[in-house]
Amino acid sequence: MSVHELRRKSGDSSEKITINLGVVDLGQIDLLVQEGFYSNRTDLIRTAIRNQLATHAEVVKQTVTRKAFVLGLENYSRADLEAVQSAGEKLQIQVLGLVSIADDVTPELARTTIESIVVLGALHASKAVKAALADRIQ
């Protein structure tokens, strides 16, 4: 199975992904949808993912704590990063969820203020900012 990001709607905190499934698995999913266990394929897949996350919830919680991740959404505006720059500091961003860097943040400001980024989830920033931080994104 392979998974990759396709696109994101503006203001939406969810991500669209594509998964490749075997035809037998897909047929079984369609059968369960036809039998009324799920409203559609997406409903079954979301339910399966939530069940797996619930099964591993304690591991996720311990890892988030051990690795000092911020859990959820982190937004960085131009003003936020200018304040970091004025303080002479650099950010080490570690997030499980979504990191969003505002569109008006310049690549130079991002490189000056962001030392490293570890994101398990999604990073939303302009292509120029992502390119400027490419060597700092893990």
Side-chain angles (χ1 to χ4, degrees):
M1 176 178 4
S2 68
V3 178
H4 67 274
E5 175 183 335
L6 282 179
R7 64 188 157 122
R8 174 181 176 266
K9 294 178 184 174
S10 180
D12 190 357
S13 63
S14 65
E15 291 289 323
K16 185 171 200 128
I17 63 170
T18 299
I19 59 173
N20 295 322
L21 295 174
V23 291
V24 174
D25 291 338
L26 188 58
Q28 291 176 339
I29 290 170
D30 288 344
L31 178 72
L32 292 173
V33 170
Q34 281 182 344
E35 293 298 313
F37 288 93
Y38 300 93
S39 60
N40 53 44
R41 292 174 175 174
T42 299
D43 183 29
L44 182 147
I45 292 167
R46 283 183 179 151
T47 300
I49 290 170
R50 287 181 184 131
N51 288 341
Q52 285 299 302
L53 292 173
T55 298
H56 300 290
E58 189 58 33
V59 171
V60 171
K61 182 179 173 184
Q62 290 172 1
T63 304
V64 165
T65 300
R66 180 171 36 90
K67 293 190 173 187
F69 278 100
V70 172
L71 185 60
L73 308 176
E74 284 283 305
N75 294 303
Y76 294 94
S77 68
R78 182 183 183 110
D80 294 335
L81 296 182
E82 287 173 344
V84 169
Q85 185 178 34
S86 294
E89 298 176 353
K90 289 198 171 214
L91 299 174
Q92 296 175 342
I93 300 169
Q94 295 191 129
V95 173
L96 190 155
L98 171 65
V99 171
S100 179
I101 300 173
D103 289 339
D104 62 349
V105 171
T106 64
E108 296 78 22
L109 180 59
R111 280 199 65 83
T112 301
T113 57
I114 299 173
E115 185 173 290
S116 64
I117 300 179
V118 178
V119 181
L120 300 176
L123 169 61
H124 294 162
S126 69
K127 287 182 181 179
V129 167
K130 284 184 178 179
L133 297 174
D135 62 333
R136 301 172 185 186
I137 298 172
Q138 300 173 13

